[in-house]
Amino acid sequence: PGSKIASGYACKRTKTTAIVCDALDPYLLKPVLEVARSTCFSLLCDESNERGDSEKLLTILLRIFEDETGQVVTRHLETVGITDLSAHGIFTAISQTLDNHGLSFRQMISFASDTCNVMKGTRNGVIAKLRAEQPKVVDIHCNCHVLNLCVK
């Protein structure tokens, strides 16, 4: 670094996590949430089932159109720990996350995820539960997950 202060700075995982989660994340997420609250947004979700303990991770991404740049951008909304990887458990985590950030299902226009039955089940999957809240939501298959299945 070109700064003596920056070159002398050091921190470990706990402090870095606190800086990113408590200081940078709210600052960077604020303009994204303002756009999402005022127009419409898409959600992208992926769950992890590879951690050794009983808690798994659900990453929720938000996709919006930014007027300033004229581009569709994807931003990290939140990664939450969940123990229930059923459609009900995932839907509950999504619902709570949206509530925590002041977002409404009414503004959601699409949902993208992997193609597993928990997510895509037409009667009891996450998409079915989302459609109960927002009947017009478009179900999108995540291209990365489809490509991964093709090359396996």
Side-chain angles (χ1 to χ4, degrees), residues 77-96:
L77 181 60
E78 194 167 330
T79 298
V80 295
I82 59 174
T83 55
D84 181 2
L85 286 177
S86 69
H88 174 75
I90 293 171
F91 174 79
T92 300
I94 292 170
S95 181
Q96 288 172 350

Side-chain angles (χ1 to χ4, degrees), residues 41-54:
F41 62 86
S42 296
L43 281 184
L44 298 85
C45 293
D46 195 16
E47 72 286 358
S48 163
N49 56 5
E50 299 189 16
R51 284 183 66 179
D53 57 11
S54 62

Side-chain angles (χ1 to χ4, degrees), residues 28-106:
L28 296 173
L29 194 56
K30 184 178 178 184
V32 174
L33 290 173
E34 287 173 1
V35 171
R37 289 180 191 128
S38 65
T39 60
C40 55
F41 62 86
S42 296
L43 281 184
L44 298 85
C45 293
D46 195 16
E47 72 286 358
S48 163
N49 56 5
E50 299 189 16
R51 284 183 66 179
D53 57 11
S54 62
E55 185 179 71
K56 308 302 179 191
L57 297 176
L58 175 68
T59 298
I60 304 169
L61 304 176
L62 193 65
R63 184 169 283 167
I64 59 165
F65 178 78
E66 286 185 339
D67 283 330
E68 307 109 34
T69 62
Q71 295 181 345
V72 175
V73 296
T74 304
R75 299 289 184 250
H76 178 262
L77 181 60
E78 194 167 330
T79 298
V80 295
I82 59 174
T83 55
D84 181 2
L85 286 177
S86 69
H88 174 75
I90 293 171
F91 174 79
T92 300
I94 292 170
S95 181
Q96 288 172 350
T97 300
L98 292 180
D99 286 346
N100 292 344
H101 292 286
L103 298 171
S104 169
F105 283 115
R106 289 173 287 167

Side-chain angles (χ1 to χ4, degrees), residues 123-141:
R123 283 184 260 177
N124 292 315
V126 172
I127 190 64
K129 295 179 183 312
L130 291 172
R131 285 196 171 131
E133 298 291 328
Q134 169 51 294
K136 295 182 180 183
V137 68
V138 176
D139 181 19
I140 300 173
H141 296 288

Side-chain angles (χ1 to χ4, degrees), residues 113-115 141-152:
S113 68
D114 57 11
T115 57
H141 296 288
C142 175
N143 291 337
C144 295
H145 283 94
V146 173
L147 181 60
N148 186 14
L149 292 174
C150 290
V151 298
K152 278 188 175 183

